[in-house]
């Protein structure tokens, strides 16, 4: 098979795997912190193993990079915990859509990192996203669990956007597997202070679920992404990445029998459309 076509299929498969991570917020009878702690520990071992398998040095280039890895890991810890918490409060569909406000969040935060001006098209995208989120929220009340899930999901999106901007500016010279190996290490160590005894009393099925989550849905996708980028443009990767919430919501409907409200579906389409637009527009500006 042509390497480009093979990479495209591999990348779509990767997005399905990453989308499937959301299901474990409902499948595993653990808190968001415990799920993240277990996921990070298993993924860390696997990712460092992948780095060594490809005969790469596990050490970073300089002392400053270790501090950057620490900061990125703390951001990812907060992002992963809020990611699972958003879906536990509401639903996989709502949590995934709220998370994928991050491309627009990135555009709004980017001027502070790159010293560029915000253009009117980006403001329009932000308004579209806000309207999409407004449709998803059933009522303006913090007592409503879906509203809580949306707010936590949007906070997770902000954390992810911030992490991505810092990563792109200071840590992008490392492969995806190498970078995530250190970040999962930081997540595992930092959350060891907050994990509960429930994790150590869990059933065998729960441990198997964590192994699947940490190995096949975390370590493997990041290795596949690194391999795919050898044959695909960054624009192609970014656009396919926008399919992740569609795969996640589809799996939630099939596996968990979720029935999203029509407002959630329309709001999700608005959010994803804005994400795709901003992805295309960002690549156009990058290529100028």
């Amino acid at each position: 098979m042509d390497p480009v076509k093979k990479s495209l299929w591999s990348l779509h498969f990767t997005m399905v795997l990453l989308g499937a991570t959301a299901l474990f917020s409902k499948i595993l009878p653990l808190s968001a912190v415990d799920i993240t702690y277990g996921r990070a520990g298993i993924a860390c071992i696997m990712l460092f193993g992948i780095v060594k398998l490809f005969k790469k040095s596990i050490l970073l280039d300089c002392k400053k990079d270790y501090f950057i890895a620490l900061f990125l890991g703390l951001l990812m810890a907060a992002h992963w915990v809020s990611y699972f918490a958003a879906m536990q409060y509401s639903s996989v569909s709502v949590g995934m859509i709220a998370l994928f406000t991050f491309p627009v969040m990135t555009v709004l935060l980017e001027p502070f990192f790159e010293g560029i001006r915000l253009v009117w098209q980006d403001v329009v995208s932000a308004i579209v996203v806000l309207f999409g989120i407004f449709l998803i929220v059933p009522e303006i009340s913090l007592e409503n669990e879906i509203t809580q899930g949306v707010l936590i999901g949007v906070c997770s999106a902000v954390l992810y956007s911030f992490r991505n901007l810092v990563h792109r500016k200071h840590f992008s010279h490392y492969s995806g597997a190498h970078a995530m190996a250190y970040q999962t290490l930081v997540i595992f160590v930092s959350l060891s202070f907050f994990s509960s005894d429930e994790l150590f009393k869990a059933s065998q099925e729960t441990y198997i679920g964590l192994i699947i989550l940490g190995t096949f849905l975390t370590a493997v996708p990041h290795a596949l992404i690194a391999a795919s980028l050898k044959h695909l443009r960054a624009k192609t990767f970014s656009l396919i990445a926008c399919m992740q919430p569609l795969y996640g919501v589809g799996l939630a409907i099939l596996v968990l029998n979720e029935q999203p409200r029509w407002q959630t579906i329309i709001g999700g389409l608005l959010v994803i459309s804005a994400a795709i637009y901003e992805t295309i527009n960002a690549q156009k500006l990058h290529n100028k």
Side-chain angles (χ1 to χ4, degrees):
M1 185 184 292
D2 178 69
V4 174
K5 287 184 179 180
K6 186 177 179 180
S7 295
L8 282 170
W9 280 108
S10 174
L11 196 53
H12 274 286
F13 178 63
T14 299
M15 291 307 123
V16 172
L17 293 178
L18 290 174
T21 61
L23 304 181
F24 286 78
S25 64
K26 300 292 188 181
I27 294 173
L28 297 177
L30 298 170
S31 69
V33 171
D34 287 344
I35 293 173
T36 303
Y37 178 64
R39 177 192 189 185
I42 295 164
C44 179
I45 295 169
M46 295 301 299
L47 285 164
F48 274 114
I50 289 169
V51 172
K52 289 301 292 181
L53 183 66
F54 285 94
K55 298 180 180 179
K56 303 287 186 181
S57 172
I58 63 172
L59 300 177
L60 300 179
D61 294 341
C62 61
K63 187 183 293 184
K64 184 185 77 170
D65 286 352
Y66 287 98
F67 289 102
I68 295 170
L70 173 62
F71 184 56
L72 290 172
L74 292 174
L75 287 175
M76 279 299 288
H79 160 60
W80 274 4
V81 169
S82 54
Y83 169 74
F84 287 116
M87 295 171 205
Q88 289 181 337
Y89 271 93
S90 53
S91 66
V92 169
S93 304
V94 169
M96 287 290 288
I97 291 166
L99 171 64
F100 263 77
T101 58
F102 83 84
V104 177
M105 299 287 186
T106 302
V107 169
L108 297 176
L109 289 170
E110 204 168 25
F112 298 99
F113 283 80
E114 306 292 343
I116 58 177
R117 292 178 59 188
L118 195 66
V119 297
W120 67 268
Q121 292 96 329
D122 297 332
V123 176
V124 171
S125 291
I127 293 171
V128 169
V129 164
L130 285 174
F131 183 64
I133 293 298
F134 174 76
L135 288 176
I136 297 171
V137 173
E139 61 175 325
I140 309 299
S141 171
L142 291 179
E143 294 181 1
N144 187 288
E145 289 188 342
I146 295 178
T147 303
Q148 292 173 5
V150 171
L151 290 175
I152 295 170
V154 170
C155 288
S156 184
V158 173
L159 289 164
Y160 192 48
S161 300
F162 191 41
R163 175 264 182 187
N164 288 348
L165 287 166
V166 175
H167 184 278
R168 188 172 71 188
K169 193 173 182 67
H170 300 289
F171 217 64
S172 58
H173 50 289
Y174 295 104
S175 70
H178 198 177
M180 279 303 297
Y182 274 93
Q183 289 171 62
T184 52
L185 176 62
V186 173
I187 294 169
F188 179 73
V189 173
S190 61
L191 291 186
S192 63
F193 299 100
F194 303 99
S195 61
S196 71
D197 292 337
E198 295 300 316
L199 179 61
F200 304 100
K201 299 175 183 176
S203 65
Q204 183 179 352
E205 289 78 10
T206 300
Y207 289 131
I208 292 172
L210 283 172
I211 291 170
I212 293 171
L213 177 61
T215 304
F216 298 105
L217 305 183
T218 306
V220 171
H222 283 93
L224 289 175
I225 288 171
S228 298
L229 288 175
K230 293 179 181 178
H231 303 288
L232 298 175
R233 295 170 60 191
K235 175 181 177 180
T236 305
F237 165 73
S238 300
L239 287 173
I240 294 176
C242 289
M243 298 296 291
Q244 187 181 327
L246 296 178
Y247 291 136
V249 171
L251 287 169
I253 293 171
L254 290 172
V255 178
L256 303 177
N257 199 30
E258 281 194 3
Q259 300 296 326
R261 301 181 309 140
W262 67 266
Q263 295 96 326
T264 301
I265 294 171
I266 294 175
L269 290 173
L270 289 173
V271 169
I272 294 166
S273 297
I276 291 172
Y277 168 77
E278 287 298 347
T279 299
I280 294 171
N281 194 46
Q283 291 299 324
K284 284 181 179 178
L285 292 174
H286 178 74
N287 293 331
K288 283 185 177 179

